[in-house]
Short mmCIF file of all heavy atoms in Angstrom, two decimals:
data_model
loop_
_atom_site.label_atom_id
_atom_site.label_comp_id
_atom_site.label_asym_id
_atom_site.label_seq_id
_atom_site.Cartn_x
_atom_site.Cartn_y
_atom_site.Cartn_z
N MET K 1 107.69 118.33 69.78
CA MET K 1 108.45 119.24 70.53
C MET K 1 109.68 118.45 71.04
O MET K 1 109.60 117.31 71.45
CB MET K 1 107.53 119.69 71.72
CG MET K 1 108.23 120.78 72.52
SD MET K 1 107.28 121.46 73.95
CE MET K 1 105.70 121.80 73.22
N SER K 2 110.78 119.13 70.84
CA SER K 2 112.00 118.45 71.30
C SER K 2 112.16 118.47 72.90
O SER K 2 111.50 119.20 73.57
CB SER K 2 113.18 119.17 70.68
OG SER K 2 113.40 120.45 71.37
N GLU K 3 113.02 117.66 73.32
CA GLU K 3 113.26 117.54 74.79
C GLU K 3 113.72 118.88 75.41
O GLU K 3 113.37 119.36 76.38
CB GLU K 3 114.27 116.50 75.08
CG GLU K 3 114.42 116.28 76.57
CD GLU K 3 115.35 115.02 76.86
OE1 GLU K 3 115.55 114.15 76.02
OE2 GLU K 3 116.08 115.03 77.94
N LYS K 4 114.62 119.59 74.64
CA LYS K 4 115.13 120.84 75.04
C LYS K 4 113.88 121.95 75.16
O LYS K 4 113.89 122.65 76.10
CB LYS K 4 116.12 121.42 74.07
CG LYS K 4 116.78 122.75 74.52
CD LYS K 4 117.97 123.14 73.68
CE LYS K 4 118.54 124.47 74.26
NZ LYS K 4 119.61 124.95 73.47
N GLU K 5 113.00 121.91 74.18
CA GLU K 5 111.84 122.83 74.27
C GLU K 5 110.95 122.57 75.46
O GLU K 5 110.49 123.36 76.12
CB GLU K 5 111.05 122.75 73.02
CG GLU K 5 111.76 123.36 71.85
CD GLU K 5 110.96 123.09 70.55
OE1 GLU K 5 110.38 122.03 70.30
OE2 GLU K 5 111.03 124.02 69.65
N GLN K 6 110.84 121.21 75.80
CA GLN K 6 110.00 120.85 76.89
C GLN K 6 110.67 121.35 78.21
O GLN K 6 110.00 121.70 79.11
CB GLN K 6 109.82 119.33 77.00
CG GLN K 6 108.95 118.78 75.83
CD GLN K 6 108.88 117.30 75.83
OE1 GLN K 6 109.62 116.58 76.50
NE2 GLN K 6 107.98 116.78 74.93
N VAL K 7 112.03 121.23 78.37
CA VAL K 7 112.62 121.73 79.54
C VAL K 7 112.50 123.20 79.74
O VAL K 7 112.42 123.67 80.83
CB VAL K 7 114.15 121.23 79.52
CG1 VAL K 7 114.90 121.88 80.60
CG2 VAL K 7 114.35 119.75 79.49
N ASN K 8 112.49 123.94 78.65
CA ASN K 8 112.36 125.44 78.82
C ASN K 8 111.03 125.86 79.07
O ASN K 8 110.87 127.05 79.38
CB ASN K 8 112.99 126.04 77.55
CG ASN K 8 114.50 125.90 77.41
OD1 ASN K 8 115.18 125.71 78.45
ND2 ASN K 8 114.94 125.86 76.17
N GLN K 9 110.02 125.08 78.96
CA GLN K 9 108.67 125.52 79.27
C GLN K 9 108.51 125.81 80.71
O GLN K 9 109.34 125.30 81.59
CB GLN K 9 107.67 124.47 78.80
CG GLN K 9 107.53 124.47 77.28
CD GLN K 9 106.32 123.54 76.89
OE1 GLN K 9 105.85 122.71 77.73
NE2 GLN K 9 105.95 123.55 75.68
N ASN K 10 107.53 126.57 81.04
CA ASN K 10 107.24 126.81 82.51
C ASN K 10 106.56 125.75 83.11
O ASN K 10 105.35 125.59 82.97
CB ASN K 10 106.47 128.14 82.57
CG ASN K 10 106.35 128.66 84.00
OD1 ASN K 10 106.92 128.18 84.96
ND2 ASN K 10 105.40 129.54 84.17
N PRO K 11 107.24 124.93 83.91
CA PRO K 11 106.53 123.71 84.47
C PRO K 11 105.61 124.22 85.71
O PRO K 11 105.96 125.11 86.34
CB PRO K 11 107.67 122.86 84.98
CG PRO K 11 108.78 123.87 85.21
CD PRO K 11 108.63 124.92 84.19
N GLU K 12 104.53 123.44 85.76
CA GLU K 12 103.66 123.71 86.97
C GLU K 12 104.25 123.08 88.13
O GLU K 12 104.78 121.94 88.10
CB GLU K 12 102.28 123.13 86.70
CG GLU K 12 101.48 123.99 85.75
CD GLU K 12 100.03 123.66 85.73
OE1 GLU K 12 99.56 123.28 86.85
OE2 GLU K 12 99.36 123.77 84.78
N LYS K 13 104.19 123.89 89.25
CA LYS K 13 104.78 123.38 90.54
C LYS K 13 103.58 123.11 91.46
O LYS K 13 102.59 123.88 91.53
CB LYS K 13 105.70 124.44 91.11
CG LYS K 13 106.54 123.90 92.22
CD LYS K 13 107.60 124.93 92.61
CE LYS K 13 108.64 124.43 93.66
NZ LYS K 13 109.58 125.41 93.96
N ASP K 14 103.67 121.99 92.16
CA ASP K 14 102.62 121.65 93.10
C ASP K 14 102.52 122.86 94.09
O ASP K 14 103.48 123.20 94.69
CB ASP K 14 103.00 120.40 93.79
CG ASP K 14 101.90 119.94 94.76
OD1 ASP K 14 100.98 120.58 95.14
OD2 ASP K 14 102.05 118.78 95.26
N PRO K 15 101.25 123.34 94.29
CA PRO K 15 101.11 124.45 95.28
C PRO K 15 101.72 124.13 96.71
O PRO K 15 102.14 125.09 97.40
CB PRO K 15 99.69 124.69 95.36
CG PRO K 15 99.20 124.29 93.99
CD PRO K 15 99.97 123.09 93.64
N ASP K 16 101.71 122.86 97.05
CA ASP K 16 102.22 122.53 98.46
C ASP K 16 103.72 122.77 98.45
O ASP K 16 104.37 122.76 99.47
CB ASP K 16 101.88 121.04 98.72
CG ASP K 16 100.51 120.81 99.01
OD1 ASP K 16 99.73 121.82 99.42
OD2 ASP K 16 99.99 119.74 98.74
N GLN K 17 104.37 122.82 97.23
CA GLN K 17 105.80 123.04 97.16
C GLN K 17 106.23 124.59 97.02
O GLN K 17 107.47 124.86 97.05
CB GLN K 17 106.37 122.32 95.95
CG GLN K 17 106.12 120.79 96.00
CD GLN K 17 106.89 120.09 97.09
OE1 GLN K 17 107.99 120.39 97.30
NE2 GLN K 17 106.28 119.19 97.71
N TRP K 18 105.23 125.41 96.96
CA TRP K 18 105.51 126.81 96.76
C TRP K 18 106.25 127.36 98.00
O TRP K 18 105.86 127.15 99.16
CB TRP K 18 104.24 127.67 96.61
CG TRP K 18 103.56 127.38 95.32
CD1 TRP K 18 103.91 126.55 94.29
CD2 TRP K 18 102.32 128.02 94.99
NE1 TRP K 18 102.97 126.61 93.28
CE2 TRP K 18 102.00 127.48 93.67
CE3 TRP K 18 101.47 128.92 95.54
CZ2 TRP K 18 100.76 127.93 93.01
CZ3 TRP K 18 100.30 129.26 94.85
CH2 TRP K 18 100.02 128.85 93.60
N VAL K 19 107.25 128.23 97.75
CA VAL K 19 107.90 128.83 98.87
C VAL K 19 107.02 129.82 99.61
O VAL K 19 107.02 129.93 100.79
CB VAL K 19 109.22 129.64 98.40
CG1 VAL K 19 109.84 130.46 99.47
CG2 VAL K 19 110.19 128.60 97.74
N THR K 20 106.10 130.51 98.81
CA THR K 20 105.19 131.54 99.47
C THR K 20 103.82 130.88 99.62
O THR K 20 102.86 131.70 99.76
CB THR K 20 105.14 132.74 98.55
OG1 THR K 20 104.65 132.39 97.23
CG2 THR K 20 106.55 133.49 98.46
N GLY K 21 103.62 129.60 99.43
CA GLY K 21 102.34 129.00 99.46
C GLY K 21 101.58 129.15 100.74
O GLY K 21 100.33 129.11 100.82
N ASP K 22 102.30 129.48 101.89
CA ASP K 22 101.56 129.56 103.19
C ASP K 22 101.28 131.03 103.44
O ASP K 22 100.65 131.30 104.41
CB ASP K 22 102.45 128.95 104.30
CG ASP K 22 103.83 129.62 104.43
OD1 ASP K 22 104.14 130.44 103.58
OD2 ASP K 22 104.43 129.41 105.51
N GLU K 23 101.59 131.94 102.53
CA GLU K 23 101.10 133.31 102.64
C GLU K 23 99.67 133.41 102.41
O GLU K 23 99.07 132.63 101.75
CB GLU K 23 101.88 134.21 101.71
CG GLU K 23 103.43 134.31 102.07
CD GLU K 23 104.22 135.13 101.10
OE1 GLU K 23 103.57 135.81 100.24
OE2 GLU K 23 105.45 135.26 101.26
N PRO K 24 99.05 134.58 102.94
CA PRO K 24 97.59 134.75 102.64
C PRO K 24 97.29 134.93 101.25
O PRO K 24 98.08 135.33 100.40
CB PRO K 24 97.35 136.06 103.41
CG PRO K 24 98.42 136.27 104.36
CD PRO K 24 99.64 135.66 103.72
N ILE K 25 96.05 134.53 100.87
CA ILE K 25 95.52 134.65 99.47
C ILE K 25 95.71 136.03 98.92
O ILE K 25 95.68 137.07 99.75
CB ILE K 25 94.04 134.28 99.57
CG1 ILE K 25 93.50 134.19 98.03
CG2 ILE K 25 93.29 135.10 100.39
CD1 ILE K 25 92.04 133.56 98.04
N THR K 26 96.05 136.21 97.67
CA THR K 26 96.21 137.49 97.06
C THR K 26 94.86 138.09 96.68
O THR K 26 93.92 137.31 96.57
CB THR K 26 97.14 137.41 95.82
OG1 THR K 26 96.41 136.66 94.78
CG2 THR K 26 98.46 136.86 96.15
N GLY K 27 94.83 139.39 96.40
CA GLY K 27 93.62 140.05 96.01
C GLY K 27 93.09 139.48 94.73
O GLY K 27 91.87 139.17 94.61
N PRO K 28 93.90 139.29 93.69
CA PRO K 28 93.37 138.74 92.44
C PRO K 28 92.93 137.25 92.62
O PRO K 28 91.84 136.94 91.97
CB PRO K 28 94.63 138.82 91.48
CG PRO K 28 95.38 139.92 91.98
CD PRO K 28 95.27 139.92 93.49
N GLN K 29 93.53 136.47 93.38
CA GLN K 29 93.11 135.11 93.64
C GLN K 29 91.73 135.17 94.34
O GLN K 29 90.90 134.36 93.87
CB GLN K 29 94.11 134.47 94.57
CG GLN K 29 95.32 133.79 93.96
CD GLN K 29 96.11 132.97 94.97
OE1 GLN K 29 96.45 133.53 96.03
NE2 GLN K 29 96.45 131.73 94.65
N GLU K 30 91.59 135.91 95.32
CA GLU K 30 90.33 136.07 96.07
C GLU K 30 89.20 136.42 95.14
O GLU K 30 88.15 135.90 95.15
CB GLU K 30 90.51 137.01 97.19
CG GLU K 30 89.29 136.96 98.12
CD GLU K 30 89.51 137.83 99.38
OE1 GLU K 30 90.41 138.68 99.46
OE2 GLU K 30 88.77 137.60 100.32
N SER K 31 89.45 137.45 94.30
CA SER K 31 88.37 137.96 93.44
C SER K 31 87.98 136.78 92.43
O SER K 31 86.80 136.61 92.18
CB SER K 31 88.92 139.20 92.63
OG SER K 31 87.98 139.58 91.68
N TYR K 32 88.98 136.20 91.80
CA TYR K 32 88.65 135.16 90.79
C TYR K 32 87.97 133.99 91.55
O TYR K 32 87.09 133.29 90.99
CB TYR K 32 90.00 134.74 90.14
CG TYR K 32 89.70 133.70 88.93
CD1 TYR K 32 88.78 133.96 87.95
CD2 TYR K 32 90.52 132.68 88.86
CE1 TYR K 32 88.51 133.04 86.96
CE2 TYR K 32 90.26 131.77 87.80
CZ TYR K 32 89.30 131.98 86.85
OH TYR K 32 89.03 131.10 85.77
N LEU K 33 88.50 133.60 92.65
CA LEU K 33 88.00 132.51 93.41
C LEU K 33 86.52 132.69 93.82
O LEU K 33 85.68 131.82 93.67
CB LEU K 33 88.77 132.24 94.65
CG LEU K 33 88.46 130.96 95.47
CD1 LEU K 33 88.42 129.72 94.61
CD2 LEU K 33 89.44 130.80 96.63
N ASN K 34 86.19 133.97 94.13
CA ASN K 34 84.80 134.28 94.56
C ASN K 34 83.89 134.19 93.34
O ASN K 34 82.73 133.73 93.37
CB ASN K 34 84.73 135.67 95.15
CG ASN K 34 85.19 135.66 96.56
OD1 ASN K 34 84.96 134.64 97.33
ND2 ASN K 34 85.85 136.75 96.97
N THR K 35 84.37 134.64 92.08
CA THR K 35 83.57 134.49 90.93
C THR K 35 83.29 133.04 90.60
O THR K 35 82.24 132.61 90.27
CB THR K 35 84.37 135.14 89.80
OG1 THR K 35 84.53 136.55 90.01
CG2 THR K 35 83.66 135.02 88.53
N LEU K 36 84.39 132.22 90.60
CA LEU K 36 84.29 130.81 90.34
C LEU K 36 83.33 130.08 91.32
O LEU K 36 82.41 129.28 90.95
CB LEU K 36 85.56 130.07 90.32
CG LEU K 36 86.49 130.39 89.28
CD1 LEU K 36 87.94 129.71 89.51
CD2 LEU K 36 86.02 129.89 87.88
N ALA K 37 83.45 130.42 92.58
CA ALA K 37 82.55 129.79 93.68
C ALA K 37 81.19 130.15 93.46
O ALA K 37 80.31 129.34 93.72
CB ALA K 37 83.08 130.25 95.03
N GLN K 38 80.91 131.42 93.22
CA GLN K 38 79.59 131.84 92.84
C GLN K 38 78.97 131.06 91.75
O GLN K 38 77.81 130.54 91.83
CB GLN K 38 79.53 133.32 92.61
CG GLN K 38 78.06 133.87 92.41
CD GLN K 38 78.14 135.39 92.17
OE1 GLN K 38 79.08 136.01 91.76
NE2 GLN K 38 76.99 136.02 92.48
N GLU K 39 79.65 130.89 90.68
CA GLU K 39 79.22 130.15 89.47
C GLU K 39 78.87 128.62 89.85
O GLU K 39 78.02 127.95 89.31
CB GLU K 39 80.16 130.20 88.31
CG GLU K 39 80.20 131.59 87.72
CD GLU K 39 81.17 131.65 86.44
OE1 GLU K 39 81.70 130.50 86.08
OE2 GLU K 39 81.48 132.74 86.03
N ALA K 40 79.74 128.09 90.77
CA ALA K 40 79.74 126.65 91.09
C ALA K 40 78.77 126.46 92.31
O ALA K 40 78.50 125.38 92.64
CB ALA K 40 81.11 126.12 91.47
N GLY K 41 78.23 127.55 92.88
CA GLY K 41 77.37 127.45 94.00
C GLY K 41 78.07 126.93 95.31
O GLY K 41 77.51 126.24 96.07
N GLU K 42 79.29 127.37 95.45
CA GLU K 42 80.02 126.93 96.64
C GLU K 42 80.50 128.12 97.47
O GLU K 42 80.55 129.22 96.96
CB GLU K 42 81.35 126.11 96.18
CG GLU K 42 81.01 124.82 95.53
CD GLU K 42 82.17 123.84 95.39
OE1 GLU K 42 83.14 124.06 96.17
OE2 GLU K 42 82.11 122.96 94.56
N GLU K 43 80.91 127.83 98.67
CA GLU K 43 81.48 128.81 99.59
C GLU K 43 82.97 128.84 99.60
O GLU K 43 83.58 127.71 99.40
CB GLU K 43 80.91 128.51 101.04
CG GLU K 43 79.50 128.72 101.15
CD GLU K 43 78.96 130.05 101.25
OE1 GLU K 43 79.64 130.90 101.83
OE2 GLU K 43 77.73 130.35 100.70
N VAL K 44 83.51 130.05 99.76
CA VAL K 44 85.00 130.11 99.83
C VAL K 44 85.33 130.23 101.33
O VAL K 44 84.80 131.13 102.03
CB VAL K 44 85.48 131.42 99.09
CG1 VAL K 44 86.96 131.49 99.33
CG2 VAL K 44 85.13 131.35 97.63
N PRO K 45 86.12 129.25 101.87
CA PRO K 45 86.62 129.33 103.25
C PRO K 45 87.32 130.57 103.55
O PRO K 45 88.07 131.07 102.68
CB PRO K 45 87.35 128.07 103.42
CG PRO K 45 87.07 127.16 102.27
CD PRO K 45 86.67 128.09 101.20
N ALA K 46 87.17 131.05 104.77
CA ALA K 46 88.03 132.29 105.19
C ALA K 46 89.46 131.89 105.40
O ALA K 46 89.68 130.63 105.66
CB ALA K 46 87.34 132.87 106.44
N ASP K 47 90.36 132.83 105.32
CA ASP K 47 91.76 132.66 105.71
C ASP K 47 92.56 131.53 104.90
O ASP K 47 93.30 130.72 105.33
CB ASP K 47 91.90 132.25 107.21
CG ASP K 47 91.30 133.39 108.07
OD1 ASP K 47 91.44 134.50 107.71
OD2 ASP K 47 90.70 133.05 109.12
N LEU K 48 92.20 131.49 103.50
CA LEU K 48 93.00 130.63 102.69
C LEU K 48 94.35 131.17 102.54
O LEU K 48 94.57 132.28 102.48
CB LEU K 48 92.30 130.50 101.35
CG LEU K 48 90.95 129.73 101.26
CD1 LEU K 48 90.40 129.81 99.83
CD2 LEU K 48 91.07 128.29 101.60
N THR K 49 95.23 130.14 102.25
CA THR K 49 96.64 130.57 101.87
C THR K 49 96.63 130.66 100.30
O THR K 49 95.74 130.17 99.65
CB THR K 49 97.65 129.48 102.37
OG1 THR K 49 97.35 128.24 101.61
CG2 THR K 49 97.60 129.27 103.79
N LYS K 50 97.77 131.19 99.80
CA LYS K 50 97.88 131.21 98.42
C LYS K 50 97.73 129.80 97.69
O LYS K 50 97.14 129.57 96.73
CB LYS K 50 99.32 131.75 97.98
CG LYS K 50 99.39 133.19 98.17
CD LYS K 50 100.78 133.66 97.71
CE LYS K 50 101.19 135.15 97.95
NZ LYS K 50 102.46 135.39 97.49
N ALA K 51 98.41 128.77 98.41
CA ALA K 51 98.39 127.48 97.82
C ALA K 51 97.07 126.77 97.86
O ALA K 51 96.54 126.21 96.94
CB ALA K 51 99.45 126.54 98.62
N GLN K 52 96.33 127.00 98.99
CA GLN K 52 94.96 126.52 99.09
C GLN K 52 94.07 127.18 98.03
O GLN K 52 93.21 126.43 97.43
CB GLN K 52 94.42 126.74 100.58
CG GLN K 52 95.10 125.91 101.50
CD GLN K 52 94.75 126.37 103.04
OE1 GLN K 52 94.53 127.53 103.22
NE2 GLN K 52 94.71 125.40 103.91
N ALA K 53 94.21 128.53 97.92
CA ALA K 53 93.38 129.21 96.83
C ALA K 53 93.64 128.64 95.52
O ALA K 53 92.76 128.50 94.79
CB ALA K 53 93.64 130.66 97.01
N SER K 54 94.93 128.42 95.20
CA SER K 54 95.28 127.89 93.88
C SER K 54 94.65 126.57 93.58
O SER K 54 94.13 126.34 92.55
CB SER K 54 96.86 127.83 93.71
OG SER K 54 97.11 127.29 92.46
N GLU K 55 94.65 125.71 94.60
CA GLU K 55 94.11 124.30 94.44
C GLU K 55 92.59 124.36 94.29
O GLU K 55 91.96 123.79 93.55
CB GLU K 55 94.42 123.48 95.70
CG GLU K 55 95.86 123.15 95.72
CD GLU K 55 96.37 122.50 97.01
OE1 GLU K 55 95.71 122.59 98.05
OE2 GLU K 55 97.47 121.90 96.93
N MET K 56 91.98 125.35 95.06
CA MET K 56 90.51 125.48 94.96
C MET K 56 90.10 126.14 93.63
O MET K 56 89.09 125.67 92.98
CB MET K 56 90.00 126.40 96.03
CG MET K 56 88.49 126.43 96.13
SD MET K 56 87.89 127.18 97.71
CE MET K 56 86.12 126.88 97.47
N ILE K 57 90.92 127.12 93.07
CA ILE K 57 90.65 127.63 91.74
C ILE K 57 90.75 126.62 90.75
O ILE K 57 89.89 126.43 89.87
CB ILE K 57 91.67 128.72 91.44
CG1 ILE K 57 91.35 130.04 92.26
CG2 ILE K 57 91.80 129.04 90.02
CD1 ILE K 57 92.46 131.05 92.25
N ASP K 58 91.78 125.65 90.74
CA ASP K 58 91.94 124.60 89.86
C ASP K 58 90.60 123.68 89.84
O ASP K 58 90.10 123.38 88.84
CB ASP K 58 93.09 123.77 90.08
CG ASP K 58 94.45 124.41 89.81
OD1 ASP K 58 94.33 125.49 89.03
OD2 ASP K 58 95.43 123.96 90.25
N LYS K 59 90.18 123.33 91.05
CA LYS K 59 89.03 122.52 91.27
C LYS K 59 87.80 123.11 90.62
O LYS K 59 87.02 122.51 89.86
CB LYS K 59 88.84 122.18 92.67
CG LYS K 59 87.51 121.46 93.07
CD LYS K 59 87.39 121.34 94.52
CE LYS K 59 86.02 120.80 94.97
NZ LYS K 59 85.13 121.83 95.23
N LEU K 60 87.57 124.44 90.96
CA LEU K 60 86.32 125.11 90.45
C LEU K 60 86.40 125.41 88.99
O LEU K 60 85.37 125.45 88.30
CB LEU K 60 86.16 126.47 91.29
CG LEU K 60 85.70 126.18 92.70
CD1 LEU K 60 85.66 127.53 93.46
CD2 LEU K 60 84.50 125.37 92.90
N GLN K 61 87.62 125.65 88.41
CA GLN K 61 87.75 125.74 87.02
C GLN K 61 87.20 124.60 86.31
O GLN K 61 86.57 124.62 85.32
CB GLN K 61 89.14 126.03 86.55
CG GLN K 61 89.56 127.47 86.79
CD GLN K 61 90.96 127.78 86.43
OE1 GLN K 61 91.89 126.87 86.57
NE2 GLN K 61 91.29 128.94 85.98
N GLY K 62 87.54 123.39 86.82
CA GLY K 62 87.08 122.19 86.29
C GLY K 62 85.57 121.97 86.36
O GLY K 62 84.92 121.54 85.42
N GLU K 63 84.97 122.42 87.52
CA GLU K 63 83.59 122.35 87.69
C GLU K 63 82.76 123.25 86.79
O GLU K 63 81.67 123.00 86.36
CB GLU K 63 83.23 122.57 89.12
CG GLU K 63 83.68 121.42 90.06
CD GLU K 63 83.35 121.77 91.50
OE1 GLU K 63 82.51 122.58 91.81
OE2 GLU K 63 83.97 121.05 92.43
N THR K 64 83.36 124.45 86.59
CA THR K 64 82.61 125.54 85.84
C THR K 64 82.96 125.45 84.42
O THR K 64 82.30 126.23 83.62
CB THR K 64 82.92 126.90 86.44
OG1 THR K 64 84.35 127.22 86.22
CG2 THR K 64 82.49 127.00 87.89
N GLY K 65 83.93 124.77 83.99
CA GLY K 65 84.43 124.76 82.57
C GLY K 65 85.24 125.88 82.10
O GLY K 65 85.42 126.15 81.01
N ARG K 66 85.73 126.64 83.12
CA ARG K 66 86.65 127.86 82.78
C ARG K 66 88.08 127.44 82.77
O ARG K 66 88.86 128.34 82.51
CB ARG K 66 86.46 128.93 83.91
CG ARG K 66 85.14 129.65 83.87
CD ARG K 66 85.17 130.73 84.90
NE ARG K 66 84.14 131.68 84.74
CZ ARG K 66 84.23 132.92 84.47
NH1 ARG K 66 85.48 133.51 84.44
NH2 ARG K 66 83.24 133.77 84.35
N GLY K 67 88.43 126.22 83.03
CA GLY K 67 89.85 125.84 83.09
C GLY K 67 90.41 125.51 81.83
O GLY K 67 90.73 125.53 80.84
#
């Protein structure tokens, strides 16, 4: 892949850097997170932000093999 193609790809941004990261978790995030947490046998904390939910989703995807 050329350098130009790499630049044009959608880079992942650290959730801590998100402009809206401190907003409440979205409905789709919550639904998916609950599914992953159930599969992993973990609890989902209340009042997660979008950024926190994203980080937990990444973690649980790794644990459940869904990532």
Side-chain angles (χ1 to χ4, degrees):
M1 185 179 310
S2 75
E3 186 176 334
K4 184 176 181 177
E5 288 173 325
Q6 289 175 353
V7 171
N8 289 333
Q9 287 185 347
N10 186 12
E12 283 195 33
K13 192 172 187 180
D14 182 351
D16 292 333
Q17 303 290 320
W18 292 0
V19 173
T20 61
D22 60 347
E23 292 181 3
I25 187 173
T26 66
Q29 276 183 311
E30 186 173 20
S31 176
Y32 186 49
L33 186 53
N34 284 324
T35 299
L36 290 172
Q38 184 178 22
E39 288 181 13
E42 294 198 21
E43 294 285 323
V44 176
D47 300 324
L48 289 178
T49 65
K50 286 181 182 180
Q52 291 168 328
S54 179
E55 290 170 344
M56 189 169 186
I57 286 169
D58 289 345
K59 175 183 167 270
L60 292 177
Q61 282 179 325
E63 290 179 16
T64 61
R66 285 185 169 239

